[in-house]
């Protein structure tokens, strides 16, 4: 046995890890013991393993998965930086989602649940020039924003005097892949490049107004769908969002969105 090897207990204390953690990391191949006693199964570590052990402890404190930590330890320095920045971005997105949830909880605490006035009426047919895409439910906000940019660019390129507001079209059920669209009303005969004309049928609807960030729209949808189901009605796709006051026109807390859900009698 090498004279400089450390017992698992001493190595654990030096690296601020537990013996149980070191055994687990060894079993995973993340930080293998330099030597294992054949008779007792006791593990021994080399002093130059301390840096990796301390790095593992540091990254676990940051809640990085062990699979990612293994990738970091195995990667050359330039790749390590890339992996760490990707994890930083993942954490930033999680913080953003948590902040949104905190804001929604505060709004619920102040206004109650559902906290929206739902009205009933009838909508005429709506003809739009739209840009469509398919995405995962978690990507809807980002992809809708991209569609807005594409629609506005197409309208500007064609010199079309479109009629506000912009409309977002979304599915009733959020499955693995969701088709969404953003569009605008344009004069008859106008054909903005890259946009497709679509006609939404008229009929009875439930609607409400949402004031505030788009991230809090689930609160409004909660109120709408609850009201629809309480009346024994069935929501029909697509759900419509009219962006009455959008980004660039007011602060985020003053954005105004009209939510419209077409409804029909539930045959059940």
């Amino acid at each position: 046995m090498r004279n400089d090897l450390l017992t698992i207990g001493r190595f654990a204390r030096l690296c601020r890890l537990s013996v149980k953690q070191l055994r687990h990391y060894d079993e995973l191949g993340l930080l293998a013991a330099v030597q294992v006693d054949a008779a007792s199964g006791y593990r021994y570590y080399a002093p130059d393993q301390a840096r990796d052990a301390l790095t593992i402890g540091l990254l676990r404190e940051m809640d990085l998965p062990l699979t990612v930590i293994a990738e970091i330890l195995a990667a050359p320095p330039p790749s390590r930086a890339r992996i760490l920045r990707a994890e930083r971005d993942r954490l930033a997105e999680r913080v953003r989602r948590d902040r949104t949830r905190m804001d929604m909880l505060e709004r619920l605490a102040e206004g109650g649940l559902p906290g929206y006035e739902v009205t009933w009426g009838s909508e005429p047919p709506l003809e739009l020039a739209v840009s469509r895409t398919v995405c995962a439910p978690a990507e809807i906000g980002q992809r809708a924003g991209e569609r807005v940019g594409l629609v506005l660019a197409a309208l500007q390129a064609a010199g079309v005097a479109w009629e506000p507001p912009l409309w977002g079209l979304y599915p009733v059920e959020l499955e693995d892949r969701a088709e969404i669209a953003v569009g605008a009303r344009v004069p008859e005969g106008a054909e903005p490049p890259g946009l497709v004309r679509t006609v939404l049928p008229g009929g009875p609807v439930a609607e409400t107004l949402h004031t505030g960030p788009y991230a809090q729209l689930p609160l409004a949808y909660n109120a709408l769908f609850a009201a629809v189901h309480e009346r024994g009605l069935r929501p029909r796709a697509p759900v419509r969002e009219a962006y009455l006051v959008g980004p660039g026109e007011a602060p985020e807390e003053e954005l105004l969105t009209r939510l419209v859900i077409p409804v029909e009698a539930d045959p059940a």
Side-chain angles (χ1 to χ4, degrees):
M1 182 183 296
R2 288 167 44 182
N3 293 330
D4 63 339
L5 294 185
L6 304 171
T7 65
I8 189 172
R10 185 178 178 198
F11 188 73
R13 291 191 298 274
L14 289 175
C15 298
R16 308 178 75 181
L17 295 170
S18 69
V19 170
K20 181 179 179 180
Q21 285 174 311
L22 286 174
R23 287 175 178 155
H24 183 51
Y25 299 157
D26 190 0
E27 291 166 359
L28 294 175
L30 182 61
L31 184 66
V34 169
Q35 189 168 322
V36 180
D37 186 277
S40 66
Y42 212 70
R43 294 168 171 87
Y44 296 87
Y45 293 81
D48 59 8
Q49 289 182 285
R51 182 178 294 275
D52 281 350
L54 289 164
T55 299
I56 293 169
L58 174 65
L59 296 178
R60 284 302 292 152
E61 282 292 321
M62 297 180 188
D63 206 26
L64 265 66
L66 290 175
T67 53
V68 174
I69 295 175
E71 186 181 359
I72 291 170
L73 293 179
S79 297
R80 287 187 179 188
R82 174 185 56 78
I83 298 167
L84 287 167
R85 289 193 178 99
E87 288 302 307
R88 174 204 61 192
D89 294 342
R90 182 185 65 84
L91 177 59
E93 175 60 22
R94 189 174 71 188
V95 169
R96 185 195 65 78
R97 291 197 303 267
D98 287 345
R99 186 175 294 117
T100 296
R101 295 186 183 108
M102 289 171 62
D103 291 342
M104 291 173 66
L105 287 170
E106 179 59 28
R107 184 160 177 165
L108 286 172
E110 291 178 353
L113 182 68
Y116 286 83
E117 180 183 358
V118 176
T119 59
W120 306 86
S122 182
E123 285 284 294
L126 179 63
E127 184 173 357
L128 301 172
V130 306
S131 174
R132 299 183 183 277
T133 191
V134 176
C135 63
E139 301 173 325
I140 286 179
Q142 176 186 346
R143 300 305 179 196
E146 293 171 357
R147 294 300 109 182
V148 168
L150 290 172
V151 169
L152 292 177
L155 295 174
Q156 183 177 13
V160 173
W162 60 282
E163 181 182 346
L166 285 176
W167 290 81
L169 309 178
Y170 304 96
V172 169
E173 298 179 7
L174 298 180
E175 300 177 344
D176 292 341
R177 304 295 289 175
E179 181 179 282
I180 68 170
V182 172
R185 287 180 285 191
V186 300
E188 189 173 348
E191 298 295 337
L195 303 187
V196 178
R197 282 189 175 269
T198 186
V199 178
L200 304 177
V205 299
E207 66 175 281
T208 193
L209 286 174
H210 170 74
T211 302
Y214 296 140
Q216 294 183 9
L217 280 169
L219 297 174
Y221 276 116
N222 178 83
L224 269 178
F225 281 113
V228 168
H229 293 307
E230 284 170 358
R231 287 203 175 194
L233 300 174
R234 183 170 64 180
R236 292 190 297 110
V239 174
R240 311 172 190 179
E241 295 178 5
Y243 307 111
L244 305 181
V245 178
E249 300 176 293
E252 191 178 49
E253 62 272 13
E254 297 177 12
L255 300 181
L256 185 61
T257 307
R258 179 178 174 234
L259 279 67
V260 182
I261 298 182
V263 296
E264 63 184 4
D266 192 335

